[in-house]
Amino acid sequence: IQKIAVMTSGGDVPGLNACIRAVVRTAIFNQLKIVGIQHGFEGLIAGDFVPLHAQSVSNIIQLGGTMLKSSRSELFRTKEGRLLAYEKIKKENIDAIVLIGGDGSFAGVNAFIQEYADIPFIGIPKTIDNDIAGTDVCIGYDTALNTAMEAIDKIRDTAESHERIFLVEVMGRDSGYIAYGAGLASGAESILIPETKADIENLENILKKGWNRKKASLIIVVAEGDENGGAYKTAEMVKKYMPTHYVGICILGHIQRGGSPSAADRILASRFGYTSVIALLEGKKNIMVGIQKNELCFTPFEEVKKQHLQINQSTLNMLNALTS
Ligand code: F6P
């Protein structure tokens, strides 16, 4: 291979720029030409390419967002969209692509490679939700977790001063990773996640017990994907349990997707970016880079699926002990 491309697809996360930098620097170090595909698959379909040099990625390792922009593309889900993408790849003489994306992007590319087998892809997992199988951790999760934790710490200050109850809703469309991590790290009284029902069954008990033993504030962290309907619906329930209390709601939302990446995310992004280009040079293709037990590993795209947070009895026992 002589010329590769790099792109970011799906929801952005902190650490994308650090990853793009690693891909570009490794490619150039190995005498490869490299272009950026802008605006994700939408940009690929439109032929939106930009040449990249070592200098193009200077001073970006610390920046949130993605210098290449991103999109969630409906068009790439269609045969027509994928044909247009293939034509643009051939016209630009691109030999291989590094795709920094999530499980949706990898499913899209898996459909593409069934139709056009001559373009090798290497995937790099990123999502603040951390719910991609084949890796213990995805780029962006650590920073999002810290953002959520810092926000909850601040809400705790005001909740304590005014002796209030707060529900804090964090992101996680189908996944409780952020809620679980940020809730644990901030000492939340209760954590509600899509992976278990035991948390909601215990909520009234936890709140009443906390108040009876004169806690000055109660914080409930709710994953947006929690089946009880997120913070607003859960607040209705809490008001029934504690009718005389102030019950505040704070939705953290997209604040969790931005900001300067943590050291852990920069390091992970750099390792994944470097490894993706080396994998291409070694002739590997159509696999996602991951990290398991601190060892880099690869998973074929067709095996990449959603990963679910494992909440077993010993985790529930721990949460019970720490929240009581
Ligand atoms: O998948 C990452 C994520 O941030 C989810 O937690 C959230 O539900 C979703 O993306 C929001 O997507 P969008 O930015 O397109 O609204």
Side-chain angles (χ1 to χ4, degrees):
I1 58 173
Q2 290 172 358
K3 183 175 179 182
I4 67 167
V6 57
M7 65 188 286
T8 49
S9 166
D12 67 342
V13 304
L16 290 177
N17 283 321
C19 191
I20 294 166
R21 171 184 178 272
V23 172
V24 171
R25 292 269 162 97
T26 310
I28 291 167
F29 186 79
N30 287 283
Q31 284 87 43
L32 294 173
K33 286 202 180 107
I34 178 155
V35 292
I37 300 167
Q38 307 201 89
H39 304 282
F41 285 115
E42 289 291 303
L44 178 58
I45 289 165
D48 193 352
F49 302 113
V50 57
L52 295 171
H53 312 282
Q55 207 52 30
S56 324
V57 291
S58 280
N59 205 17
I60 64 164
I61 195 168
Q62 75 279 27
L63 301 181
T66 161
M67 65 170 282
L68 292 175
K69 313 294 181 202
S70 194
S71 64
R72 299 190 195 273
S73 174
E74 283 306 317
L75 200 48
F76 193 73
R77 290 177 197 271
T78 66
K79 260 187 177 300
E80 300 72 43
R82 293 194 290 270
L83 172 62
L84 287 170
Y86 181 72
E87 285 169 356
K88 300 299 184 325
I89 294 168
K90 294 311 270 184
K91 195 165 166 226
E92 185 68 22
N93 294 319
I94 292 167
D95 299 320
I97 298 182
V98 174
L99 165 64
I100 312 168
D103 59 330
S105 309
F106 300 143
V109 104
N110 199 34
F112 180 89
I113 57 185
Q114 312 300 323
E115 295 158 0
Y116 309 104
D118 57 330
I119 308 295
F121 275 82
I122 301 285
I124 297 183
K126 61 83 220 170
T127 167
I128 64 164
D129 294 356
N130 205 41
D131 57 351
I132 303 179
T135 187
D136 292 345
V137 58
C138 301
I139 301 172
Y141 174 57
D142 184 68
T143 310
L145 201 53
N146 279 288
T147 301
M149 179 193 72
E150 283 167 22
I152 298 166
D153 286 350
K154 287 175 179 155
I155 293 164
R156 175 73 80 180
D157 290 345
T158 173
E160 280 273 312
S161 307
H162 292 269
E163 297 172 89
R164 288 173 167 173
I165 300 173
F166 268 92
L167 288 108
V168 185
E169 185 180 297
V170 297
M171 275 188 164
R173 201 182 350 224
D174 313 298
S175 134
Y177 275 95
I178 300 180
Y180 172 75
L184 203 55
S186 60
E189 274 67 29
S190 172
I191 305 170
L192 306 180
I193 54 177
E195 289 86 348
T196 176
K197 280 193 179 134
D199 47 13
I200 195 84
E201 283 159 7
N202 218 2
L203 184 62
E204 179 174 7
N205 193 13
I206 287 180
L207 296 178
K208 290 193 168 154
K209 219 165 91 188
W211 214 260
N212 290 340
R213 70 175 190 81
K214 307 259 175 303
K215 281 197 171 192
S217 65
L218 297 171
I219 303 266
I220 305 156
V221 176
V222 190
E224 67 171 329
D226 185 61
E227 57 189 31
N228 302 295
Y232 281 102
K233 284 224 172 120
T234 313
E236 295 310 313
M237 209 181 300
V238 174
K239 278 178 199 157
K240 278 190 200 135
Y241 302 152
M242 319 278 283
T244 58
H245 286 76
Y246 175 105
V247 179
I249 295 173
C250 187
I251 313 276
L252 298 187
H254 285 80
I255 192 171
Q256 296 158 98
R257 290 249 296 266
S260 180
S262 64
D265 270 328
R266 296 182 200 193
I267 292 165
L268 186 70
S270 301
R271 293 179 76 188
F272 279 176
Y274 169 80
T275 306
S276 67
V277 178
I278 300 300
L280 281 175
L281 288 168
E282 287 172 351
K284 296 191 172 76
K285 61 178 182 178
N286 306 337
I287 48 176
M288 183 193 82
V289 182
I291 191 158
Q292 288 177 326
K293 301 192 172 108
N294 207 28
E295 291 283 333
L296 289 157
C297 56
F298 299 100
T299 306
F301 282 138
E302 65 262 22
E303 286 172 27
V304 175
K305 47 185 190 312
K306 276 211 181 286
Q307 160 171 282
H308 296 286
L309 175 64
Q310 297 301 317
I311 294 288
N312 51 25
Q313 195 53 46
S314 74
T315 311
L316 287 175
N317 292 346
M318 175 184 70
L319 289 173
N320 250 341
L322 299 186
T323 54
S324 62

